[in-house]
Amino acid sequence: MGGHAGAGLLCAPRTWNDTAMKTLILVDLQNDFLPGGPLAVPMGNEVVPVANRLMSQYDMVVATQDWHPANHGSFASQHPGHKPGDVIDLAGVTQILWPDHCIQGTAGADFAPGLDVAGIQWICHKGTDPGIDSYSGFFDNGHLKQTGLNDYLRRRGVREVHIMGLATDYCVKFTALDARELGFETYLIVEGVRGVELDPGDCAKAIEEMQAAGVRLVTAAAA
Ligand code: VGL
Ligand code: ZN
């Protein structure tokens, strides 16, 4: 196989070996996170046109979907006596309880209306294990298991990821922090994110945390 491998390397398309395979990661652009949804992110709908405009500028576009079973442990409804916003210990991991959201196969888990889904090459489902949440697109919240996103990107030679979506202070933040930790050159598209902001200042704090970890901010125009 040696000769063939050598020829393959010489003939490989530029995109596989010589570029960073710049990839756009769309985080949780799903109905339940839009205004009117159970876990509404204020102005979350505003990032959909940003995503549509940017997609064609990337070598690859992948999307994460929060994809919970109906009995997910992050739902307040699963913990009698608790309400959304309460904080509990879920199998050793600190868990904020949320309203039921993004249940697998429901309309609430569908992509936001108007999102150019044809431009998405791969969808990564997360939060599927009822026993643990997964804010990050890469790992569960206990950092115990990977979702498959890292392998998917690595196999395709991706070294640079640009992240946008919902929500700045949860899934976007943890996806970006893990991307850095996994060694990706990581950019946050500033106009492409909106946050939950349970406490005032949460989004600003999240952005500072990302920057401190080496995530670079980029405007949509420069992405
Ligand atoms: C998210 C809370 C719970 C998010 C998902 O997409 O940021 N937040 N599940
Ligand atoms: Zn969730």
Side-chain angles (χ1 to χ4, degrees), residues 28 33 39 66 68 98 101 135 166-167 170-171:
D28 297 5
F33 297 123
L39 214 171
D66 213 27
H68 298 309
W98 304 104
H101 65 278
Y135 293 147
L166 308 173
Y170 294 96
C171 292

mmCIF file of all heavy atoms in Angstrom, residues 28 33 39 66 68 98 101 135 166-167 170-171, ligand 1:
data_model
loop_
_atom_site.group_PDB
_atom_site.id
_atom_site.type_symbol
_atom_site.label_atom_id
_atom_site.label_comp_id
_atom_site.label_asym_id
_atom_site.label_seq_id
_atom_site.Cartn_x
_atom_site.Cartn_y
_atom_site.Cartn_z
ATOM 1 N N ASP A 28 -27.238 24.746 18.655
ATOM 2 C CA ASP A 28 -28.613 24.711 19.201
ATOM 3 C C ASP A 28 -29.561 25.784 18.643
ATOM 4 O O ASP A 28 -30.278 26.442 19.410
ATOM 5 C CB ASP A 28 -28.567 24.801 20.736
ATOM 6 C CG ASP A 28 -27.858 23.611 21.374
ATOM 7 O OD1 ASP A 28 -27.324 22.767 20.622
ATOM 8 O OD2 ASP A 28 -27.826 23.531 22.611
ATOM 9 N N PHE A 33 -35.574 27.286 21.940
ATOM 10 C CA PHE A 33 -34.715 28.355 22.456
ATOM 11 C C PHE A 33 -35.079 29.720 21.873
ATOM 12 O O PHE A 33 -34.441 30.723 22.186
ATOM 13 C CB PHE A 33 -33.239 28.053 22.170
ATOM 14 C CG PHE A 33 -32.735 26.810 22.851
ATOM 15 C CD1 PHE A 33 -32.167 25.781 22.118
ATOM 16 C CD2 PHE A 33 -32.831 26.669 24.228
ATOM 17 C CE1 PHE A 33 -31.705 24.633 22.743
ATOM 18 C CE2 PHE A 33 -32.368 25.525 24.865
ATOM 19 C CZ PHE A 33 -31.801 24.501 24.119
ATOM 20 N N LEU A 39 -37.697 27.580 26.759
ATOM 21 C CA LEU A 39 -36.402 28.037 27.279
ATOM 22 C C LEU A 39 -35.920 29.173 26.372
ATOM 23 O O LEU A 39 -34.838 29.115 25.801
ATOM 24 C CB LEU A 39 -35.399 26.869 27.308
ATOM 25 C CG LEU A 39 -34.383 26.854 28.450
ATOM 26 C CD1 LEU A 39 -33.614 25.525 28.482
ATOM 27 C CD2 LEU A 39 -33.415 28.013 28.407
ATOM 28 N N ASP A 66 -29.634 20.149 20.821
ATOM 29 C CA ASP A 66 -29.964 19.649 22.143
ATOM 30 C C ASP A 66 -31.063 18.608 21.886
ATOM 31 O O ASP A 66 -32.043 18.905 21.195
ATOM 32 C CB ASP A 66 -30.494 20.839 22.965
ATOM 33 C CG ASP A 66 -30.139 20.754 24.431
ATOM 34 O OD1 ASP A 66 -29.120 20.135 24.786
ATOM 35 O OD2 ASP A 66 -30.896 21.330 25.245
ATOM 36 N N HIS A 68 -32.947 15.862 23.961
ATOM 37 C CA HIS A 68 -33.197 15.195 25.235
ATOM 38 C C HIS A 68 -34.316 14.159 25.141
ATOM 39 O O HIS A 68 -35.341 14.394 24.488
ATOM 40 C CB HIS A 68 -33.614 16.218 26.293
ATOM 41 C CG HIS A 68 -32.574 17.254 26.600
ATOM 42 N ND1 HIS A 68 -31.271 16.944 26.911
ATOM 43 C CD2 HIS A 68 -32.661 18.618 26.680
ATOM 44 C CE1 HIS A 68 -30.606 18.069 27.158
ATOM 45 N NE2 HIS A 68 -31.423 19.092 27.011
ATOM 46 N N TRP A 98 -34.118 23.024 34.253
ATOM 47 C CA TRP A 98 -34.729 23.786 33.163
ATOM 48 C C TRP A 98 -36.157 23.312 32.928
ATOM 49 O O TRP A 98 -36.517 22.190 33.297
ATOM 50 C CB TRP A 98 -33.923 23.597 31.873
ATOM 51 C CG TRP A 98 -32.491 23.958 31.983
ATOM 52 C CD1 TRP A 98 -31.428 23.103 32.085
ATOM 53 C CD2 TRP A 98 -31.930 25.282 31.990
ATOM 54 N NE1 TRP A 98 -30.246 23.798 32.164
ATOM 55 C CE2 TRP A 98 -30.524 25.142 32.106
ATOM 56 C CE3 TRP A 98 -32.472 26.574 31.921
ATOM 57 C CZ2 TRP A 98 -29.666 26.248 32.150
ATOM 58 C CZ3 TRP A 98 -31.616 27.666 31.953
ATOM 59 C CH2 TRP A 98 -30.234 27.498 32.069
ATOM 60 N N HIS A 101 -37.513 20.888 27.447
ATOM 61 C CA HIS A 101 -37.148 21.529 26.170
ATOM 62 C C HIS A 101 -36.442 20.530 25.267
ATOM 63 O O HIS A 101 -35.858 19.554 25.740
ATOM 64 C CB HIS A 101 -36.248 22.746 26.419
ATOM 65 C CG HIS A 101 -34.921 22.382 27.016
ATOM 66 N ND1 HIS A 101 -34.744 22.158 28.362
ATOM 67 C CD2 HIS A 101 -33.715 22.166 26.447
ATOM 68 C CE1 HIS A 101 -33.484 21.827 28.589
ATOM 69 N NE2 HIS A 101 -32.839 21.815 27.449
ATOM 70 N N TYR A 135 -24.045 20.571 27.826
ATOM 71 C CA TYR A 135 -24.098 21.918 27.247
ATOM 72 C C TYR A 135 -23.171 21.987 26.044
ATOM 73 O O TYR A 135 -23.517 22.552 25.013
ATOM 74 C CB TYR A 135 -23.679 22.964 28.280
ATOM 75 C CG TYR A 135 -24.626 23.126 29.449
ATOM 76 C CD1 TYR A 135 -24.148 23.463 30.714
ATOM 77 C CD2 TYR A 135 -25.998 22.985 29.287
ATOM 78 C CE1 TYR A 135 -25.009 23.651 31.783
ATOM 79 C CE2 TYR A 135 -26.863 23.160 30.356
ATOM 80 C CZ TYR A 135 -26.361 23.489 31.599
ATOM 81 O OH TYR A 135 -27.213 23.669 32.656
ATOM 82 N N LEU A 166 -26.914 29.488 20.169
ATOM 83 C CA LEU A 166 -27.600 29.709 21.444
ATOM 84 C C LEU A 166 -27.175 28.623 22.439
ATOM 85 O O LEU A 166 -26.982 27.484 22.025
ATOM 86 C CB LEU A 166 -29.113 29.639 21.225
ATOM 87 C CG LEU A 166 -29.669 30.546 20.101
ATOM 88 C CD1 LEU A 166 -31.138 30.255 19.872
ATOM 89 C CD2 LEU A 166 -29.416 32.020 20.404
ATOM 90 N N ALA A 167 -27.033 28.919 23.672
ATOM 91 C CA ALA A 167 -27.054 30.251 24.237
ATOM 92 C C ALA A 167 -25.636 30.630 24.668
ATOM 93 O O ALA A 167 -24.888 29.779 25.133
ATOM 94 C CB ALA A 167 -27.982 30.265 25.456
ATOM 95 N N TYR A 170 -24.387 29.316 28.040
ATOM 96 C CA TYR A 170 -24.429 27.866 28.308
ATOM 97 C C TYR A 170 -23.795 27.078 27.163
ATOM 98 O O TYR A 170 -22.611 26.802 27.174
ATOM 99 C CB TYR A 170 -25.859 27.397 28.636
ATOM 100 C CG TYR A 170 -26.307 27.999 29.936
ATOM 101 C CD1 TYR A 170 -27.064 29.171 29.972
ATOM 102 C CD2 TYR A 170 -25.881 27.447 31.148
ATOM 103 C CE1 TYR A 170 -27.407 29.768 31.175
ATOM 104 C CE2 TYR A 170 -26.214 28.037 32.351
ATOM 105 C CZ TYR A 170 -26.980 29.193 32.360
ATOM 106 O OH TYR A 170 -27.288 29.773 33.555
ATOM 107 N N CYS A 171 -24.583 26.690 26.202
ATOM 108 C CA CYS A 171 -24.061 25.744 25.211
ATOM 109 C C CYS A 171 -22.981 26.340 24.322
ATOM 110 O O CYS A 171 -22.027 25.649 23.956
ATOM 111 C CB CYS A 171 -25.214 25.146 24.414
ATOM 112 S SG CYS A 171 -26.229 24.090 25.483
HETATM 113 C C1 VGL B 1 -29.033 25.087 26.648
HETATM 114 C C2 VGL B 1 -29.831 25.130 28.794
HETATM 115 C C3 VGL B 1 -30.265 23.831 28.677
HETATM 116 C C4 VGL B 1 -28.357 25.822 25.530
HETATM 117 C C5 VGL B 1 -29.464 23.784 26.517
HETATM 118 O O1 VGL B 1 -28.535 25.441 24.356
HETATM 119 O O2 VGL B 1 -27.634 26.792 25.817
HETATM 120 N N1 VGL B 1 -29.219 25.748 27.793
HETATM 121 N N2 VGL B 1 -30.086 23.167 27.533
#
